[in-house]
Amino acid sequence: QVQLVESGGGLVQPGGSLRLSCAASASMYVMGWYRQAPGKQRELVATATSGGSTVYGDSVKGRFTVSRDNAKNTVDLQMNNLEPADTAVYYCSARLAFGPLYWGQGTQVTVSA
């Protein structure tokens, strides 16, 4: 069983920045972030493969940056120019090339004045 431990959520004002981090207990092929706001479905934020390929959700392109440290089995999400619409629980996700998707416990991000 792969364990994912997240950190870095919190409260920030609109226009501010936050950085989320996630550490996996094993080496994973794809690591990334999803989010879920109240009353909405979970949606893709950003993912990155161990080879450096990235995918971003449309609503965060140009504002968020995902990065991997393969040696440490970590994935970070740098979030800039945050908007109230970014308020959600952010979940770290990871999987091997084949197999199930693992999830972290989630970390709350609240963007509010």
Side-chain angles (χ1 to χ4, degrees), residues 42-98:
R42 192 170 295 190
E43 65 174 358
L44 168 72
V45 177
T47 62
T49 68
S50 55
S53 297
T54 57
V55 176
Y56 289 91
D58 288 341
S59 61
V60 306
K61 287 178 181 177
R63 299 187 299 122
F64 292 9
T65 302
V66 63
S67 58
R68 294 274 304 264
D69 185 330
N70 293 330
K72 296 181 179 179
N73 298 330
T74 60
V75 62
D76 290 352
L77 184 69
Q78 178 64 42
M79 304 184 292
N80 297 328
N81 194 20
L82 283 159
E83 305 168 352
D86 296 316
T87 296
V89 178
Y90 284 68
Y91 295 92
C92 179
S93 68
R95 66 172 175 86
L96 299 169
F98 302 97

